[in-house]
Amino acid sequence: MKEISVQTHARFEMIDITAAVQKAVRDEKIESGIGLVYTPHTTAAVTINENADPDVPRDILAALDRAVPLSANYRHAEGNSAAHVKSSLVGASEMVIIENGRLILGTWQSIFFCEFDGPRTRKVYISFKF
Ligand code: ZN
């Protein structure tokens, strides 16, 4: 298993971690298999989507914010229920196929770490199966 540290800089943010995941594949000398990209946080998530147009992650964050507003009579006393809900909607992990030492991603796809309650220092774990 490999661990990646992600420093987020805003309350809501999607950070492209594709290069770091590809580096983990290279470092572990994985030729083919499956990589599980997982974040152990309850107010963050991992997703795969378009990164060619930076308006796509911006639109995703804006749509999530409209769907799950910051305040909505939540009961959780910590005050970050919206971030918990977004984390569950997007999900804590993604699986990626690896062939010939490379992540198999579509032309426009990137792997994103999603911050919903930043800024914080976050962890992403990557585990490989063959
Ligand atoms: Zn909380």
Side-chain angles (χ1 to χ4, degrees), residues 85-97:
V85 173
K86 290 175 184 177
S87 171
S88 277
L89 287 176
V90 177
S93 66
E94 285 281 4
M95 274 205 292
V96 196
I97 300 168

PDB file of all heavy atoms in Angstrom, residues 85-97:
ATOM      1  N   VAL A  85     -22.256  14.824   4.035  1.00  0.00           N
ATOM      2  CA  VAL A  85     -23.205  14.350   3.021  1.00  0.00           C
ATOM      3  C   VAL A  85     -22.532  14.279   1.651  1.00  0.00           C
ATOM      4  O   VAL A  85     -22.658  13.286   0.924  1.00  0.00           O
ATOM      5  CB  VAL A  85     -24.449  15.272   2.970  1.00  0.00           C
ATOM      6  CG1 VAL A  85     -25.353  14.880   1.811  1.00  0.00           C
ATOM      7  CG2 VAL A  85     -25.215  15.203   4.289  1.00  0.00           C
ATOM      8  N   LYS A  86     -21.778  15.328   1.294  1.00  0.00           N
ATOM      9  CA  LYS A  86     -21.083  15.330  -0.002  1.00  0.00           C
ATOM     10  C   LYS A  86     -20.095  14.171  -0.080  1.00  0.00           C
ATOM     11  O   LYS A  86     -19.956  13.524  -1.129  1.00  0.00           O
ATOM     12  CB  LYS A  86     -20.333  16.652  -0.203  1.00  0.00           C
ATOM     13  CG  LYS A  86     -21.248  17.842  -0.436  1.00  0.00           C
ATOM     14  CD  LYS A  86     -20.410  19.117  -0.494  1.00  0.00           C
ATOM     15  CE  LYS A  86     -21.274  20.348  -0.633  1.00  0.00           C
ATOM     16  NZ  LYS A  86     -20.441  21.576  -0.621  1.00  0.00           N
ATOM     17  N   SER A  87     -19.395  13.893   1.028  1.00  0.00           N
ATOM     18  CA  SER A  87     -18.441  12.786   1.062  1.00  0.00           C
ATOM     19  C   SER A  87     -19.130  11.464   0.738  1.00  0.00           C
ATOM     20  O   SER A  87     -18.620  10.656  -0.055  1.00  0.00           O
ATOM     21  CB  SER A  87     -17.789  12.726   2.447  1.00  0.00           C
ATOM     22  OG  SER A  87     -17.013  11.565   2.596  1.00  0.00           O
ATOM     23  N   SER A  88     -20.319  11.255   1.315  1.00  0.00           N
ATOM     24  CA  SER A  88     -21.034  10.002   1.033  1.00  0.00           C
ATOM     25  C   SER A  88     -21.594   9.971  -0.383  1.00  0.00           C
ATOM     26  O   SER A  88     -21.624   8.917  -1.015  1.00  0.00           O
ATOM     27  CB  SER A  88     -22.164   9.794   2.037  1.00  0.00           C
ATOM     28  OG  SER A  88     -21.639   9.206   3.214  1.00  0.00           O
ATOM     29  N   LEU A  89     -22.040  11.112  -0.891  1.00  0.00           N
ATOM     30  CA  LEU A  89     -22.574  11.144  -2.256  1.00  0.00           C
ATOM     31  C   LEU A  89     -21.496  10.817  -3.288  1.00  0.00           C
ATOM     32  O   LEU A  89     -21.740  10.079  -4.243  1.00  0.00           O
ATOM     33  CB  LEU A  89     -23.162  12.533  -2.572  1.00  0.00           C
ATOM     34  CG  LEU A  89     -24.492  12.864  -1.899  1.00  0.00           C
ATOM     35  CD1 LEU A  89     -24.891  14.295  -2.224  1.00  0.00           C
ATOM     36  CD2 LEU A  89     -25.578  11.901  -2.363  1.00  0.00           C
ATOM     37  N   VAL A  90     -20.319  11.389  -3.108  1.00  0.00           N
ATOM     38  CA  VAL A  90     -19.246  11.188  -4.095  1.00  0.00           C
ATOM     39  C   VAL A  90     -18.520   9.867  -3.849  1.00  0.00           C
ATOM     40  O   VAL A  90     -18.161   9.172  -4.813  1.00  0.00           O
ATOM     41  CB  VAL A  90     -18.268  12.389  -4.081  1.00  0.00           C
ATOM     42  CG1 VAL A  90     -17.113  12.169  -5.052  1.00  0.00           C
ATOM     43  CG2 VAL A  90     -19.008  13.685  -4.434  1.00  0.00           C
ATOM     44  N   GLY A  91     -18.305   9.516  -2.591  1.00  0.00           N
ATOM     45  CA  GLY A  91     -17.677   8.234  -2.278  1.00  0.00           C
ATOM     46  C   GLY A  91     -16.215   8.356  -1.907  1.00  0.00           C
ATOM     47  O   GLY A  91     -15.516   9.249  -2.375  1.00  0.00           O
ATOM     48  N   ALA A  92     -15.764   7.425  -1.087  1.00  0.00           N
ATOM     49  CA  ALA A  92     -14.411   7.484  -0.531  1.00  0.00           C
ATOM     50  C   ALA A  92     -13.349   6.870  -1.438  1.00  0.00           C
ATOM     51  O   ALA A  92     -12.160   6.972  -1.147  1.00  0.00           O
ATOM     52  CB  ALA A  92     -14.385   6.779   0.826  1.00  0.00           C
ATOM     53  N   SER A  93     -13.756   6.224  -2.543  1.00  0.00           N
ATOM     54  CA  SER A  93     -12.748   5.503  -3.325  1.00  0.00           C
ATOM     55  C   SER A  93     -13.114   5.411  -4.798  1.00  0.00           C
ATOM     56  O   SER A  93     -14.269   5.612  -5.188  1.00  0.00           O
ATOM     57  CB  SER A  93     -12.564   4.089  -2.768  1.00  0.00           C
ATOM     58  OG  SER A  93     -13.743   3.335  -2.957  1.00  0.00           O
ATOM     59  N   GLU A  94     -12.106   5.094  -5.590  1.00  0.00           N
ATOM     60  CA  GLU A  94     -12.271   4.747  -7.002  1.00  0.00           C
ATOM     61  C   GLU A  94     -11.326   3.589  -7.296  1.00  0.00           C
ATOM     62  O   GLU A  94     -10.270   3.461  -6.671  1.00  0.00           O
ATOM     63  CB  GLU A  94     -11.891   5.927  -7.916  1.00  0.00           C
ATOM     64  CG  GLU A  94     -12.912   7.046  -7.958  1.00  0.00           C
ATOM     65  CD  GLU A  94     -14.108   6.749  -8.859  1.00  0.00           C
ATOM     66  OE1 GLU A  94     -14.192   5.626  -9.410  1.00  0.00           O
ATOM     67  OE2 GLU A  94     -14.941   7.651  -9.024  1.00  0.00           O
ATOM     68  N   MET A  95     -11.702   2.749  -8.264  1.00  0.00           N
ATOM     69  CA  MET A  95     -10.823   1.686  -8.727  1.00  0.00           C
ATOM     70  C   MET A  95     -10.339   2.027 -10.127  1.00  0.00           C
ATOM     71  O   MET A  95     -11.124   2.512 -10.945  1.00  0.00           O
ATOM     72  CB  MET A  95     -11.553   0.345  -8.760  1.00  0.00           C
ATOM     73  CG  MET A  95     -11.521  -0.353  -7.424  1.00  0.00           C
ATOM     74  SD  MET A  95     -11.709  -2.131  -7.596  1.00  0.00           S
ATOM     75  CE  MET A  95     -13.394  -2.186  -8.153  1.00  0.00           C
ATOM     76  N   VAL A  96      -9.064   1.781 -10.374  1.00  0.00           N
ATOM     77  CA  VAL A  96      -8.483   2.097 -11.672  1.00  0.00           C
ATOM     78  C   VAL A  96      -7.764   0.860 -12.211  1.00  0.00           C
ATOM     79  O   VAL A  96      -7.069   0.161 -11.471  1.00  0.00           O
ATOM     80  CB  VAL A  96      -7.455   3.250 -11.576  1.00  0.00           C
ATOM     81  CG1 VAL A  96      -7.163   3.821 -12.952  1.00  0.00           C
ATOM     82  CG2 VAL A  96      -7.952   4.335 -10.663  1.00  0.00           C
ATOM     83  N   ILE A  97      -7.935   0.608 -13.512  1.00  0.00           N
ATOM     84  CA  ILE A  97      -7.244  -0.499 -14.168  1.00  0.00           C
ATOM     85  C   ILE A  97      -5.822  -0.050 -14.523  1.00  0.00           C
ATOM     86  O   ILE A  97      -5.612   1.083 -14.959  1.00  0.00           O
ATOM     87  CB  ILE A  97      -7.995  -0.928 -15.444  1.00  0.00           C
ATOM     88  CG1 ILE A  97      -9.421  -1.372 -15.090  1.00  0.00           C
ATOM     89  CG2 ILE A  97      -7.238  -2.026 -16.185  1.00  0.00           C
ATOM     90  CD1 ILE A  97     -10.321  -1.523 -16.309  1.00  0.00           C
TER      91      ILE A  97
END
